[in-house]
Amino acid sequence: LIGLTAGLCGGLAGIGGGVVMIPLFTGIEKLGQHQAHGTSLVALVFTGMMGALTYALHRNLDLMAALLLAGGALWPARVGAKYCSGLPERKLKRVFGLFLVFISVLIMSKPYLTAAIPPPGCLFKTALLLATGALTGFCSGLMGVGGGPIMIAGMVLLAGFDQYTAQGSALLAMVPAGAVGAYTHWRLGNVERRLLPMLIPGILLGTFVGGTLAHFFMEWTL
């Protein structure tokens, strides 16, 4: 049920689902904060794969944008995961709580933000995507999330992408970035492996359903 819920939210909104999984892991499964973050990162790799496939079937995926985001995120994701493991549990909980507040404000304020007109040429867009990927990668490794709201906001508000393409590209970018963070957490012992066989099928099904439903909504409602 946790995987299904997180996957549904992930596919619908173009996010990894960590903001849903981590509170449920700590509240229901009684995982420690570090284990919740590491397990969430492993799961969101599957959210990204199924979500990207679903959006690609609707032709709403920019492969080059996803590669640039992922390229910027790879090294920072590893750094974020190591930094996460070194934080005391109490402090990590506090940081994650502040991150949830930031993400909530970002999502709620999105309808009231005006998209910028990006300068002509691809240099600005390339630099923007790499920088967005780097910020997202660090947050992903540290927080155990995909960082979709950050990537989508950067793509839509600053780089001129439409909402559907931004969500599909963000989901694809989560796969390599999330894999690096997940591997680092795995090596550090922060992954609860017993949950994965039950979690992943729910993630895959929920993400496919959520990604399909997203294309029935008007763009401004996402």
Side-chain angles (χ1 to χ4, degrees):
L1 288 175
I2 291 174
L4 189 65
T5 304
L8 186 65
C9 295
L12 189 61
I15 62 177
V19 294
V20 176
M21 284 186 283
I22 291 174
L24 294 177
F25 284 156
T26 56
I28 297 175
E29 292 294 331
K30 306 303 179 183
L31 297 187
Q33 196 71 25
H34 296 88
Q35 286 70 36
H37 287 214
T39 307
S40 171
L41 268 178
V42 174
L44 72 82
V45 172
F46 294 90
T47 305
M49 288 191 294
M50 179 57 77
L53 176 61
T54 306
Y55 278 78
L57 291 174
H58 291 85
R59 299 186 178 183
N60 287 318
L61 191 149
D62 189 315
L63 180 59
M64 184 54 67
L67 289 175
L68 288 170
L69 286 167
L74 291 178
W75 183 74
R78 185 168 180 267
V79 174
K82 287 189 171 184
Y83 185 63
C84 169
S85 190
L87 284 177
E89 179 133 345
R90 183 180 180 87
K91 190 170 184 179
L92 184 58
K93 284 184 178 182
R94 189 177 303 155
V95 171
F96 183 71
L98 292 173
F99 181 75
L100 287 184
V101 172
F102 167 72
I103 292 298
S104 300
V105 171
L106 181 63
I107 293 174
M108 295 297 292
S109 61
K110 187 174 62 176
Y112 306 100
L113 299 175
T114 302
I117 300 175
C122 65
L123 186 60
F124 171 81
K125 185 176 289 188
T126 298
L128 175 66
L129 291 173
L130 287 171
T132 302
L135 173 61
T136 305
F138 181 77
C139 292
S140 177
L142 175 61
M143 299 298 172
V145 300
I150 299 173
M151 287 191 280
I152 293 167
M155 295 174 76
V156 173
L157 298 176
L158 301 176
F161 285 84
D162 67 88
Q163 184 71 25
Y164 297 114
T165 302
Q167 291 189 183
S169 304
L171 283 164
L172 180 57
M174 289 175 200
V175 177
V180 170
Y183 176 73
T184 305
H185 275 286
W186 189 291
R187 291 284 302 273
L188 293 168
N190 292 335
V191 176
E192 189 60 58
R193 304 179 190 184
R194 65 178 176 84
L195 298 181
L196 298 179
M198 298 172 283
L199 185 67
I200 291 170
I203 284 278
L204 294 173
L205 177 60
T207 304
F208 177 76
V209 173
T212 302
L213 286 176
H215 291 85
F216 289 94
F217 287 87
M218 297 293 290
E219 185 173 352
W220 63 271
T221 64
L222 291 172

